[in-house]
PDB file of all heavy atoms in Angstrom:
ATOM      1  N   LEU A  11     113.164 113.857  59.735  1.00  0.00           N
ATOM      2  CA  LEU A  11     114.388 113.170  59.344  1.00  0.00           C
ATOM      3  C   LEU A  11     114.430 112.849  57.854  1.00  0.00           C
ATOM      4  O   LEU A  11     115.504 112.570  57.300  1.00  0.00           O
ATOM      5  CB  LEU A  11     114.539 111.880  60.151  1.00  0.00           C
ATOM      6  CG  LEU A  11     114.774 112.076  61.656  1.00  0.00           C
ATOM      7  CD1 LEU A  11     114.771 110.742  62.383  1.00  0.00           C
ATOM      8  CD2 LEU A  11     116.070 112.832  61.913  1.00  0.00           C
ATOM      9  N   ASN A  12     113.285 112.916  57.209  1.00  0.00           N
ATOM     10  CA  ASN A  12     113.224 112.647  55.774  1.00  0.00           C
ATOM     11  C   ASN A  12     113.033 113.913  54.945  1.00  0.00           C
ATOM     12  O   ASN A  12     112.937 113.834  53.714  1.00  0.00           O
ATOM     13  CB  ASN A  12     112.093 111.660  55.472  1.00  0.00           C
ATOM     14  CG  ASN A  12     112.423 110.247  55.913  1.00  0.00           C
ATOM     15  OD1 ASN A  12     113.079 109.496  55.193  1.00  0.00           O
ATOM     16  ND2 ASN A  12     111.979 109.874  57.106  1.00  0.00           N
ATOM     17  N   HIS A  13     113.005 115.068  55.632  1.00  0.00           N
ATOM     18  CA  HIS A  13     112.843 116.340  54.921  1.00  0.00           C
ATOM     19  C   HIS A  13     114.200 116.799  54.389  1.00  0.00           C
ATOM     20  O   HIS A  13     115.238 116.599  55.026  1.00  0.00           O
ATOM     21  CB  HIS A  13     112.255 117.389  55.870  1.00  0.00           C
ATOM     22  CG  HIS A  13     111.975 118.693  55.205  1.00  0.00           C
ATOM     23  ND1 HIS A  13     111.008 118.843  54.229  1.00  0.00           N
ATOM     24  CD2 HIS A  13     112.553 119.917  55.366  1.00  0.00           C
ATOM     25  CE1 HIS A  13     110.984 120.105  53.832  1.00  0.00           C
ATOM     26  NE2 HIS A  13     111.916 120.775  54.494  1.00  0.00           N
ATOM     27  N   ALA A  14     114.194 117.439  53.226  1.00  0.00           N
ATOM     28  CA  ALA A  14     115.443 117.809  52.552  1.00  0.00           C
ATOM     29  C   ALA A  14     116.101 119.063  53.118  1.00  0.00           C
ATOM     30  O   ALA A  14     117.221 119.403  52.719  1.00  0.00           O
ATOM     31  CB  ALA A  14     115.187 117.998  51.056  1.00  0.00           C
ATOM     32  N   GLY A  15     115.449 119.762  54.039  1.00  0.00           N
ATOM     33  CA  GLY A  15     116.009 120.983  54.610  1.00  0.00           C
ATOM     34  C   GLY A  15     115.924 120.967  56.123  1.00  0.00           C
ATOM     35  O   GLY A  15     115.545 119.961  56.734  1.00  0.00           O
ATOM     36  N   PRO A  16     116.250 122.087  56.767  1.00  0.00           N
ATOM     37  CA  PRO A  16     116.236 122.147  58.228  1.00  0.00           C
ATOM     38  C   PRO A  16     114.823 122.169  58.804  1.00  0.00           C
ATOM     39  O   PRO A  16     113.907 122.752  58.219  1.00  0.00           O
ATOM     40  CB  PRO A  16     116.972 123.457  58.534  1.00  0.00           C
ATOM     41  CG  PRO A  16     116.792 124.290  57.305  1.00  0.00           C
ATOM     42  CD  PRO A  16     116.749 123.333  56.161  1.00  0.00           C
ATOM     43  N   VAL A  17     114.676 121.531  59.956  1.00  0.00           N
ATOM     44  CA  VAL A  17     113.380 121.435  60.633  1.00  0.00           C
ATOM     45  C   VAL A  17     113.576 121.697  62.120  1.00  0.00           C
ATOM     46  O   VAL A  17     114.527 121.193  62.735  1.00  0.00           O
ATOM     47  CB  VAL A  17     112.738 120.038  60.452  1.00  0.00           C
ATOM     48  CG1 VAL A  17     111.425 119.943  61.233  1.00  0.00           C
ATOM     49  CG2 VAL A  17     112.492 119.739  58.987  1.00  0.00           C
ATOM     50  N   SER A  18     112.679 122.474  62.700  1.00  0.00           N
ATOM     51  CA  SER A  18     112.651 122.689  64.150  1.00  0.00           C
ATOM     52  C   SER A  18     111.408 122.009  64.711  1.00  0.00           C
ATOM     53  O   SER A  18     110.289 122.265  64.258  1.00  0.00           O
ATOM     54  CB  SER A  18     112.614 124.193  64.455  1.00  0.00           C
ATOM     55  OG  SER A  18     112.446 124.415  65.840  1.00  0.00           O
ATOM     56  N   LEU A  19     111.613 121.153  65.698  1.00  0.00           N
ATOM     57  CA  LEU A  19     110.537 120.376  66.325  1.00  0.00           C
ATOM     58  C   LEU A  19     110.598 120.606  67.829  1.00  0.00           C
ATOM     59  O   LEU A  19     111.599 120.282  68.465  1.00  0.00           O
ATOM     60  CB  LEU A  19     110.716 118.889  65.993  1.00  0.00           C
ATOM     61  CG  LEU A  19     109.819 117.875  66.691  1.00  0.00           C
ATOM     62  CD1 LEU A  19     108.366 118.088  66.291  1.00  0.00           C
ATOM     63  CD2 LEU A  19     110.255 116.452  66.344  1.00  0.00           C
ATOM     64  N   ARG A  20     109.539 121.187  68.392  1.00  0.00           N
ATOM     65  CA  ARG A  20     109.545 121.525  69.826  1.00  0.00           C
ATOM     66  C   ARG A  20     108.623 120.589  70.601  1.00  0.00           C
ATOM     67  O   ARG A  20     107.574 120.169  70.107  1.00  0.00           O
ATOM     68  CB  ARG A  20     109.140 122.994  70.034  1.00  0.00           C
ATOM     69  CG  ARG A  20     107.658 123.247  69.891  1.00  0.00           C
ATOM     70  CD  ARG A  20     107.216 124.713  69.909  1.00  0.00           C
ATOM     71  NE  ARG A  20     107.841 125.580  70.865  1.00  0.00           N
ATOM     72  CZ  ARG A  20     107.237 126.073  71.943  1.00  0.00           C
ATOM     73  NH1 ARG A  20     105.984 125.728  72.238  1.00  0.00           N
ATOM     74  NH2 ARG A  20     107.879 126.897  72.738  1.00  0.00           N
ATOM     75  N   TYR A  21     109.010 120.280  71.841  1.00  0.00           N
ATOM     76  CA  TYR A  21     108.169 119.461  72.714  1.00  0.00           C
ATOM     77  C   TYR A  21     108.493 119.826  74.158  1.00  0.00           C
ATOM     78  O   TYR A  21     109.585 120.309  74.467  1.00  0.00           O
ATOM     79  CB  TYR A  21     108.370 117.964  72.461  1.00  0.00           C
ATOM     80  CG  TYR A  21     109.803 117.512  72.442  1.00  0.00           C
ATOM     81  CD1 TYR A  21     110.429 117.085  73.602  1.00  0.00           C
ATOM     82  CD2 TYR A  21     110.530 117.520  71.259  1.00  0.00           C
ATOM     83  CE1 TYR A  21     111.751 116.669  73.600  1.00  0.00           C
ATOM     84  CE2 TYR A  21     111.860 117.105  71.239  1.00  0.00           C
ATOM     85  CZ  TYR A  21     112.467 116.692  72.412  1.00  0.00           C
ATOM     86  OH  TYR A  21     113.769 116.296  72.394  1.00  0.00           O
ATOM     87  N   PRO A  22     107.559 119.600  75.076  1.00  0.00           N
ATOM     88  CA  PRO A  22     107.723 120.093  76.448  1.00  0.00           C
ATOM     89  C   PRO A  22     108.488 119.135  77.347  1.00  0.00           C
ATOM     90  O   PRO A  22     108.735 117.983  77.002  1.00  0.00           O
ATOM     91  CB  PRO A  22     106.275 120.222  76.934  1.00  0.00           C
ATOM     92  CG  PRO A  22     105.587 119.083  76.237  1.00  0.00           C
ATOM     93  CD  PRO A  22     106.237 118.989  74.870  1.00  0.00           C
ATOM     94  N   LYS A  23     108.839 119.643  78.514  1.00  0.00           N
ATOM     95  CA  LYS A  23     109.412 118.799  79.562  1.00  0.00           C
ATOM     96  C   LYS A  23     108.345 117.871  80.128  1.00  0.00           C
ATOM     97  O   LYS A  23     108.642 116.764  80.572  1.00  0.00           O
ATOM     98  CB  LYS A  23     109.999 119.685  80.662  1.00  0.00           C
ATOM     99  CG  LYS A  23     110.633 118.926  81.816  1.00  0.00           C
ATOM    100  CD  LYS A  23     111.135 119.879  82.888  1.00  0.00           C
ATOM    101  CE  LYS A  23     111.730 119.122  84.061  1.00  0.00           C
ATOM    102  NZ  LYS A  23     112.162 120.029  85.148  1.00  0.00           N
ATOM    103  N   ALA A  24     107.108 118.313  80.122  1.00  0.00           N
ATOM    104  CA  ALA A  24     105.995 117.533  80.670  1.00  0.00           C
ATOM    105  C   ALA A  24     105.657 116.345  79.779  1.00  0.00           C
ATOM    106  O   ALA A  24     105.996 116.316  78.592  1.00  0.00           O
ATOM    107  CB  ALA A  24     104.773 118.429  80.832  1.00  0.00           C
ATOM    108  N   SER A  25     104.964 115.357  80.354  1.00  0.00           N
ATOM    109  CA  SER A  25     104.482 114.217  79.572  1.00  0.00           C
ATOM    110  C   SER A  25     103.368 114.681  78.631  1.00  0.00           C
ATOM    111  O   SER A  25     102.554 115.533  78.986  1.00  0.00           O
ATOM    112  CB  SER A  25     103.949 113.123  80.499  1.00  0.00           C
ATOM    113  OG  SER A  25     104.976 112.640  81.343  1.00  0.00           O
ATOM    114  N   LEU A  26     103.356 114.108  77.443  1.00  0.00           N
ATOM    115  CA  LEU A  26     102.335 114.478  76.465  1.00  0.00           C
ATOM    116  C   LEU A  26     101.072 113.649  76.662  1.00  0.00           C
ATOM    117  O   LEU A  26     101.133 112.450  76.931  1.00  0.00           O
ATOM    118  CB  LEU A  26     102.854 114.258  75.044  1.00  0.00           C
ATOM    119  CG  LEU A  26     103.935 115.221  74.546  1.00  0.00           C
ATOM    120  CD1 LEU A  26     104.417 114.791  73.164  1.00  0.00           C
ATOM    121  CD2 LEU A  26     103.408 116.636  74.501  1.00  0.00           C
ATOM    122  N   GLU A  27      99.931 114.311  76.520  1.00  0.00           N
ATOM    123  CA  GLU A  27      98.658 113.595  76.504  1.00  0.00           C
ATOM    124  C   GLU A  27      98.402 113.062  75.099  1.00  0.00           C
ATOM    125  O   GLU A  27      99.109 113.401  74.143  1.00  0.00           O
ATOM    126  CB  GLU A  27      97.519 114.533  76.929  1.00  0.00           C
ATOM    127  CG  GLU A  27      97.642 115.052  78.348  1.00  0.00           C
ATOM    128  CD  GLU A  27      96.453 115.917  78.721  1.00  0.00           C
ATOM    129  OE1 GLU A  27      95.315 115.396  78.683  1.00  0.00           O
ATOM    130  OE2 GLU A  27      96.664 117.096  79.039  1.00  0.00           O
ATOM    131  N   LYS A  28      97.376 112.226  74.975  1.00  0.00           N
ATOM    132  CA  LYS A  28      97.022 111.661  73.671  1.00  0.00           C
ATOM    133  C   LYS A  28      95.527 111.802  73.449  1.00  0.00           C
ATOM    134  O   LYS A  28      94.730 111.394  74.288  1.00  0.00           O
ATOM    135  CB  LYS A  28      97.439 110.192  73.591  1.00  0.00           C
ATOM    136  CG  LYS A  28      97.201 109.563  72.224  1.00  0.00           C
ATOM    137  CD  LYS A  28      97.725 108.130  72.182  1.00  0.00           C
ATOM    138  CE  LYS A  28      97.517 107.509  70.814  1.00  0.00           C
ATOM    139  NZ  LYS A  28      98.035 106.120  70.753  1.00  0.00           N
ATOM    140  N   ILE A  29      95.157 112.411  72.330  1.00  0.00           N
ATOM    141  CA  ILE A  29      93.754 112.551  71.950  1.00  0.00           C
ATOM    142  C   ILE A  29      93.388 111.380  71.051  1.00  0.00           C
ATOM    143  O   ILE A  29      94.010 111.168  70.000  1.00  0.00           O
ATOM    144  CB  ILE A  29      93.506 113.885  71.213  1.00  0.00           C
ATOM    145  CG1 ILE A  29      93.819 115.069  72.135  1.00  0.00           C
ATOM    146  CG2 ILE A  29      92.072 113.958  70.705  1.00  0.00           C
ATOM    147  CD1 ILE A  29      92.951 115.160  73.366  1.00  0.00           C
ATOM    148  N   GLU A  30      92.393 110.615  71.463  1.00  0.00           N
ATOM    149  CA  GLU A  30      91.948 109.472  70.663  1.00  0.00           C
ATOM    150  C   GLU A  30      91.191 109.984  69.438  1.00  0.00           C
ATOM    151  O   GLU A  30      90.188 110.673  69.555  1.00  0.00           O
ATOM    152  CB  GLU A  30      91.053 108.552  71.497  1.00  0.00           C
ATOM    153  CG  GLU A  30      91.775 107.878  72.666  1.00  0.00           C
ATOM    154  CD  GLU A  30      92.927 106.991  72.211  1.00  0.00           C
ATOM    155  OE1 GLU A  30      92.828 106.414  71.097  1.00  0.00           O
ATOM    156  OE2 GLU A  30      93.914 106.871  72.954  1.00  0.00           O
ATOM    157  N   ARG A  31      91.707 109.662  68.263  1.00  0.00           N
ATOM    158  CA  ARG A  31      91.118 110.123  67.019  1.00  0.00           C
ATOM    159  C   ARG A  31      91.763 109.357  65.868  1.00  0.00           C
ATOM    160  O   ARG A  31      92.763 108.658  66.060  1.00  0.00           O
ATOM    161  CB  ARG A  31      91.361 111.621  66.828  1.00  0.00           C
ATOM    162  CG  ARG A  31      92.833 111.989  66.618  1.00  0.00           C
ATOM    163  CD  ARG A  31      93.088 113.442  66.855  1.00  0.00           C
ATOM    164  NE  ARG A  31      94.418 113.892  66.434  1.00  0.00           N
ATOM    165  CZ  ARG A  31      95.527 113.719  67.130  1.00  0.00           C
ATOM    166  NH1 ARG A  31      95.481 113.078  68.287  1.00  0.00           N
ATOM    167  NH2 ARG A  31      96.681 114.176  66.687  1.00  0.00           N
ATOM    168  N   ALA A  32      91.218 109.509  64.675  1.00  0.00           N
ATOM    169  CA  ALA A  32      91.889 109.022  63.475  1.00  0.00           C
ATOM    170  C   ALA A  32      92.924 110.074  63.105  1.00  0.00           C
ATOM    171  O   ALA A  32      92.593 111.119  62.544  1.00  0.00           O
ATOM    172  CB  ALA A  32      90.881 108.821  62.348  1.00  0.00           C
ATOM    173  N   VAL A  33      94.183 109.827  63.443  1.00  0.00           N
ATOM    174  CA  VAL A  33      95.234 110.838  63.306  1.00  0.00           C
ATOM    175  C   VAL A  33      95.527 111.102  61.833  1.00  0.00           C
ATOM    176  O   VAL A  33      95.828 110.177  61.069  1.00  0.00           O
ATOM    177  CB  VAL A  33      96.522 110.389  64.026  1.00  0.00           C
ATOM    178  CG1 VAL A  33      97.596 111.458  63.916  1.00  0.00           C
ATOM    179  CG2 VAL A  33      96.227 110.085  65.493  1.00  0.00           C
ATOM    180  N   ALA A  34      95.423 112.359  61.442  1.00  0.00           N
ATOM    181  CA  ALA A  34      95.731 112.743  60.068  1.00  0.00           C
ATOM    182  C   ALA A  34      97.232 112.621  59.828  1.00  0.00           C
ATOM    183  O   ALA A  34      98.027 112.895  60.730  1.00  0.00           O
ATOM    184  CB  ALA A  34      95.270 114.176  59.806  1.00  0.00           C
ATOM    185  N   PRO A  35      97.659 112.206  58.636  1.00  0.00           N
ATOM    186  CA  PRO A  35      99.091 112.085  58.359  1.00  0.00           C
ATOM    187  C   PRO A  35      99.787 113.446  58.416  1.00  0.00           C
ATOM    188  O   PRO A  35      99.158 114.487  58.196  1.00  0.00           O
ATOM    189  CB  PRO A  35      99.126 111.492  56.945  1.00  0.00           C
ATOM    190  CG  PRO A  35      97.800 111.838  56.349  1.00  0.00           C
ATOM    191  CD  PRO A  35      96.828 111.834  57.473  1.00  0.00           C
ATOM    192  N   ILE A  36     101.070 113.426  58.715  1.00  0.00           N
ATOM    193  CA  ILE A  36     101.862 114.653  58.748  1.00  0.00           C
ATOM    194  C   ILE A  36     102.266 115.016  57.320  1.00  0.00           C
ATOM    195  O   ILE A  36     102.976 114.258  56.649  1.00  0.00           O
ATOM    196  CB  ILE A  36     103.126 114.492  59.620  1.00  0.00           C
ATOM    197  CG1 ILE A  36     102.751 114.057  61.044  1.00  0.00           C
ATOM    198  CG2 ILE A  36     103.933 115.787  59.627  1.00  0.00           C
ATOM    199  CD1 ILE A  36     101.951 115.071  61.816  1.00  0.00           C
ATOM    200  N   GLU A  37     101.785 116.152  56.859  1.00  0.00           N
ATOM    201  CA  GLU A  37     102.141 116.663  55.541  1.00  0.00           C
ATOM    202  C   GLU A  37     102.632 118.092  55.697  1.00  0.00           C
ATOM    203  O   GLU A  37     102.105 118.852  56.512  1.00  0.00           O
ATOM    204  CB  GLU A  37     100.934 116.612  54.599  1.00  0.00           C
ATOM    205  CG  GLU A  37     100.404 115.206  54.364  1.00  0.00           C
ATOM    206  CD  GLU A  37      99.187 115.194  53.445  1.00  0.00           C
ATOM    207  OE1 GLU A  37      98.913 116.229  52.822  1.00  0.00           O
ATOM    208  OE2 GLU A  37      98.515 114.150  53.370  1.00  0.00           O
ATOM    209  N   LEU A  38     103.622 118.466  54.925  1.00  0.00           N
ATOM    210  CA  LEU A  38     104.259 119.768  55.061  1.00  0.00           C
ATOM    211  C   LEU A  38     103.232 120.900  55.020  1.00  0.00           C
ATOM    212  O   LEU A  38     102.481 121.043  54.061  1.00  0.00           O
ATOM    213  CB  LEU A  38     105.289 119.971  53.943  1.00  0.00           C
ATOM    214  CG  LEU A  38     106.035 121.305  53.947  1.00  0.00           C
ATOM    215  CD1 LEU A  38     106.885 121.446  55.207  1.00  0.00           C
ATOM    216  CD2 LEU A  38     106.902 121.431  52.703  1.00  0.00           C
ATOM    217  N   GLY A  39     103.221 121.688  56.118  1.00  0.00           N
ATOM    218  CA  GLY A  39     102.366 122.865  56.165  1.00  0.00           C
ATOM    219  C   GLY A  39     100.884 122.574  56.248  1.00  0.00           C
ATOM    220  O   GLY A  39     100.071 123.442  55.904  1.00  0.00           O
ATOM    221  N   GLN A  40     100.504 121.393  56.733  1.00  0.00           N
ATOM    222  CA  GLN A  40      99.092 121.028  56.819  1.00  0.00           C
ATOM    223  C   GLN A  40      98.652 120.902  58.272  1.00  0.00           C
ATOM    224  O   GLN A  40      99.242 120.141  59.042  1.00  0.00           O
ATOM    225  CB  GLN A  40      98.828 119.702  56.094  1.00  0.00           C
ATOM    226  CG  GLN A  40      99.014 119.780  54.593  1.00  0.00           C
ATOM    227  CD  GLN A  40      97.988 120.688  53.938  1.00  0.00           C
ATOM    228  OE1 GLN A  40      96.788 120.537  54.129  1.00  0.00           O
ATOM    229  NE2 GLN A  40      98.468 121.650  53.157  1.00  0.00           N
ATOM    230  N   ALA A  41      97.612 121.640  58.636  1.00  0.00           N
ATOM    231  CA  ALA A  41      97.010 121.513  59.960  1.00  0.00           C
ATOM    232  C   ALA A  41      96.062 120.313  59.979  1.00  0.00           C
ATOM    233  O   ALA A  41      95.697 119.767  58.933  1.00  0.00           O
ATOM    234  CB  ALA A  41      96.254 122.788  60.313  1.00  0.00           C
ATOM    235  N   GLU A  42      95.664 119.919  61.176  1.00  0.00           N
ATOM    236  CA  GLU A  42      94.701 118.829  61.362  1.00  0.00           C
ATOM    237  C   GLU A  42      93.429 119.419  61.964  1.00  0.00           C
ATOM    238  O   GLU A  42      93.462 119.992  63.056  1.00  0.00           O
ATOM    239  CB  GLU A  42      95.281 117.771  62.301  1.00  0.00           C
ATOM    240  CG  GLU A  42      94.330 116.621  62.594  1.00  0.00           C
ATOM    241  CD  GLU A  42      94.881 115.659  63.643  1.00  0.00           C
ATOM    242  OE1 GLU A  42      95.522 116.132  64.609  1.00  0.00           O
ATOM    243  OE2 GLU A  42      94.666 114.447  63.498  1.00  0.00           O
ATOM    244  N   VAL A  43      92.328 119.294  61.228  1.00  0.00           N
ATOM    245  CA  VAL A  43      91.048 119.793  61.736  1.00  0.00           C
ATOM    246  C   VAL A  43      90.407 118.704  62.574  1.00  0.00           C
ATOM    247  O   VAL A  43      89.990 117.664  62.050  1.00  0.00           O
ATOM    248  CB  VAL A  43      90.110 120.209  60.582  1.00  0.00           C
ATOM    249  CG1 VAL A  43      88.764 120.684  61.139  1.00  0.00           C
ATOM    250  CG2 VAL A  43      90.754 121.303  59.737  1.00  0.00           C
ATOM    251  N   HIS A  44      90.337 118.944  63.876  1.00  0.00           N
ATOM    252  CA  HIS A  44      89.712 117.977  64.784  1.00  0.00           C
ATOM    253  C   HIS A  44      88.201 118.135  64.746  1.00  0.00           C
ATOM    254  O   HIS A  44      87.466 117.153  64.625  1.00  0.00           O
ATOM    255  CB  HIS A  44      90.245 118.193  66.205  1.00  0.00           C
ATOM    256  CG  HIS A  44      89.751 117.214  67.205  1.00  0.00           C
ATOM    257  ND1 HIS A  44      90.063 115.876  67.156  1.00  0.00           N
ATOM    258  CD2 HIS A  44      88.947 117.369  68.297  1.00  0.00           C
ATOM    259  CE1 HIS A  44      89.494 115.246  68.158  1.00  0.00           C
ATOM    260  NE2 HIS A  44      88.805 116.122  68.864  1.00  0.00           N
ATOM    261  N   ASP A  45      87.718 119.358  64.864  1.00  0.00           N
ATOM    262  CA  ASP A  45      86.304 119.719  64.699  1.00  0.00           C
ATOM    263  C   ASP A  45      86.275 121.116  64.105  1.00  0.00           C
ATOM    264  O   ASP A  45      87.098 121.965  64.453  1.00  0.00           O
ATOM    265  CB  ASP A  45      85.567 119.728  66.046  1.00  0.00           C
ATOM    266  CG  ASP A  45      85.376 118.331  66.621  1.00  0.00           C
ATOM    267  OD1 ASP A  45      84.747 117.509  65.939  1.00  0.00           O
ATOM    268  OD2 ASP A  45      85.869 118.086  67.731  1.00  0.00           O
ATOM    269  N   TRP A  46      85.309 121.374  63.240  1.00  0.00           N
ATOM    270  CA  TRP A  46      85.235 122.694  62.619  1.00  0.00           C
ATOM    271  C   TRP A  46      84.414 123.674  63.451  1.00  0.00           C
ATOM    272  O   TRP A  46      84.791 124.812  63.651  1.00  0.00           O
ATOM    273  CB  TRP A  46      84.669 122.583  61.205  1.00  0.00           C
ATOM    274  CG  TRP A  46      84.743 123.881  60.453  1.00  0.00           C
ATOM    275  CD1 TRP A  46      83.701 124.682  60.082  1.00  0.00           C
ATOM    276  CD2 TRP A  46      85.932 124.536  59.991  1.00  0.00           C
ATOM    277  NE1 TRP A  46      84.168 125.789  59.401  1.00  0.00           N
ATOM    278  CE2 TRP A  46      85.538 125.729  59.344  1.00  0.00           C
ATOM    279  CE3 TRP A  46      87.298 124.242  60.070  1.00  0.00           C
ATOM    280  CZ2 TRP A  46      86.454 126.613  58.768  1.00  0.00           C
ATOM    281  CZ3 TRP A  46      88.205 125.111  59.494  1.00  0.00           C
ATOM    282  CH2 TRP A  46      87.783 126.292  58.870  1.00  0.00           C
ATOM    283  N   GLY A  47      83.283 123.226  63.985  1.00  0.00           N
ATOM    284  CA  GLY A  47      82.462 124.107  64.811  1.00  0.00           C
ATOM    285  C   GLY A  47      81.690 125.112  63.976  1.00  0.00           C
ATOM    286  O   GLY A  47      81.856 125.222  62.760  1.00  0.00           O
ATOM    287  N   SER A  48      80.838 125.869  64.646  1.00  0.00           N
ATOM    288  CA  SER A  48      80.028 126.885  63.966  1.00  0.00           C
ATOM    289  C   SER A  48      80.030 128.221  64.704  1.00  0.00           C
ATOM    290  O   SER A  48      79.749 129.260  64.107  1.00  0.00           O
ATOM    291  CB  SER A  48      78.583 126.399  63.815  1.00  0.00           C
ATOM    292  OG  SER A  48      78.021 126.078  65.079  1.00  0.00           O
ATOM    293  N   ASP A  49      80.348 128.208  66.004  1.00  0.00           N
ATOM    294  CA  ASP A  49      80.349 129.444  66.800  1.00  0.00           C
ATOM    295  C   ASP A  49      81.744 130.031  66.972  1.00  0.00           C
ATOM    296  O   ASP A  49      81.898 131.110  67.555  1.00  0.00           O
ATOM    297  CB  ASP A  49      79.742 129.180  68.182  1.00  0.00           C
ATOM    298  CG  ASP A  49      78.271 128.825  68.107  1.00  0.00           C
ATOM    299  OD1 ASP A  49      77.564 129.399  67.252  1.00  0.00           O
ATOM    300  OD2 ASP A  49      77.823 127.968  68.891  1.00  0.00           O
ATOM    301  N   GLY A  50      82.752 129.332  66.491  1.00  0.00           N
ATOM    302  CA  GLY A  50      84.130 129.773  66.637  1.00  0.00           C
ATOM    303  C   GLY A  50      85.050 128.573  66.618  1.00  0.00           C
ATOM    304  O   GLY A  50      84.600 127.419  66.582  1.00  0.00           O
TER     305      GLY A  50
END
């Protein structure tokens, strides 16, 4: 709602689960690394 251009935001019919974590802020084009891992 604060972005200067068009945005598409999708969400399911189902209820959303919640992962307990320190939630990273939403920044344009930025993913959130939950764990990096070493095998994949």
Side-chain angles (χ1 to χ4, degrees):
L11 293 174
N12 287 276
H13 184 66
V17 177
S18 174
L19 172 64
R20 76 188 318 251
Y21 50 90
K23 180 182 178 183
S25 298
L26 289 175
E27 297 183 60
K28 184 176 181 179
I29 298 297
E30 295 299 328
R31 67 198 191 280
V33 182
I36 303 295
E37 299 179 12
L38 180 64
Q40 293 294 307
E42 178 186 38
V43 178
H44 184 65
D45 290 301
W46 188 249
S48 57
D49 294 323

